[in-house]
Amino acid sequence: MNGVNLTLRVLHHGEKHLARKLTAVAERHRAEPEIHHVARDLAGWSREHAQRLSDTADRHGLDLRDFAGTPLLSALGEKTAETMVHRPDPALLLLRDLRELHLDAAENSVHWEMLAQVAQATKDDELLGLASSCHPATLRQMRWTNTMIKVLAPQVLTSL
């Protein structure tokens, strides 16, 4: 496997992972309308990125289709895990969720940048176009999580 295919695979996995986590956070915090609705929208962006990566990988001879599980089984597993553990304070849980989302989006951002750099080096206009159109949305995901952390952290952490 070459470096481009490795980067496509890692980024595809990262976008799918972020989409699942954003969806889980949206459901877990459905009482917070901004979190619920924005996280669902951002999850859609990551799902679209994963699909575009899969389409591009197909043209590079790489199969990124995931047969390991279905969203339904994944969601059932998360719901079961939630009921099995003691739930922390919802505000602290929200801060933790936002931090994890931010770190996941930052990891994807680094991979988008790596893909853009290799695309420039190899003069691959298709890969460069993909990275150039998807990476800004990932940066916006990071800005949203960072903004929410800035807004919520003082209130939550001083109330402990």
Side-chain angles (χ1 to χ4, degrees), residues 115-127:
L115 192 64
Q117 293 304 312
V118 74
Q120 286 179 333
T122 61
K123 300 187 183 341
D124 187 329
D125 292 336
E126 178 189 21
L127 282 181

Side-chain angles (χ1 to χ4, degrees), residues 20-38:
R20 284 190 302 270
K21 286 190 69 172
L22 281 161
T23 300
V25 167
E27 292 308 309
R28 188 168 26 253
H29 301 286
R30 67 176 9 165
E32 299 286 338
E34 181 175 359
I35 300 297
H36 177 72
H37 294 293
V38 174

